[in-house]
Amino acid sequence: MDFGQILSQFENMQKKNGVKTTIVDKDSGFEKEEEKRKSQSSVYIKNLPIDASLDLHGLTQDEAWNSMQIFTENCIRKGYKKILFIHGKGNHSQDPVLGNLVRLFIEQNPKLGKSAHPDAKLGGSGATWVMIKR
């Protein structure tokens, strides 16, 4: 007798005796808690892959802001978790402002959460990753 047959027999006995049976999937609750715990771990977040990136090099502040708005809305719609803004370090400009602009954009957007600079191979201080809130 396999588990399905045992379960059917059990349910039939419950019905016969007038007992209402509620089956609770405890694993789903555990999985949700585990996902929540993982999402709050800084190591877990740092190691999540980048789902999409936007290069802002050569854009004005207005162009960069508009690009970030459109890009972010598209990423949210696609269900992405982690995105990257590449703004440069400002080494070749008189007034490096795109890094500050990205930080301001992230702070003002309620759908964006934790952020930081990636490792050097992904741009270091010339880029910023950000988590999209659910």
Side-chain angles (χ1 to χ4, degrees):
M1 185 179 294
D2 69 3
F3 180 74
Q5 292 169 328
I6 294 170
L7 183 59
S8 292
Q9 262 187 344
F10 175 74
E11 289 172 344
N12 289 335
M13 286 175 43
Q14 295 292 329
K15 286 179 187 176
K16 186 187 278 186
N17 294 328
V19 177
K20 183 178 178 186
T21 303
T22 304
I23 298 174
V24 178
D25 184 2
K26 292 181 181 179
D27 289 339
S28 69
F30 174 77
E31 289 167 356
K32 287 177 186 175
E33 285 298 316
E34 183 69 11
E35 184 66 27
K36 183 178 178 182
R37 184 188 63 75
K38 279 184 181 178
S39 70
Q40 294 172 346
S41 162
S42 60
V43 173
Y44 173 78
I45 290 171
K46 181 181 177 191
N47 291 325
L48 271 177
I50 303 292
D51 293 311
S53 62
L54 176 65
D55 191 340
L56 302 170
H57 282 103
L59 300 181
T60 66
Q61 288 187 26
D62 288 338
E63 292 169 336
W65 190 273
N66 290 333
S67 295
M68 287 188 290
Q69 282 183 318
I70 292 166
F71 173 75
T72 301
E73 289 168 9
N74 286 333
C75 290
I76 291 168
R77 202 173 311 116
K78 291 178 181 178
Y80 292 164
K81 291 182 179 181
K82 187 176 179 183
I83 57 176
L84 181 71
F85 295 111
I86 303 167
H87 45 75
K89 296 177 184 175
N91 293 338
H92 305 289
S93 63
Q94 299 266 23
D95 188 20
V97 294
L98 291 181
N100 291 334
L101 186 72
V102 168
R103 186 170 43 254
L104 180 64
F105 179 81
I106 292 169
E107 290 171 358
Q108 290 186 359
N109 191 320
K111 294 183 180 177
L112 299 179
K114 294 182 181 184
S115 65
H117 296 296
D119 293 334
K121 66 182 179 185
L122 289 176
S125 63
T128 302
W129 60 257
V130 61
M131 297 298 298
I132 296 176
K133 295 178 181 178
R134 297 276 169 223

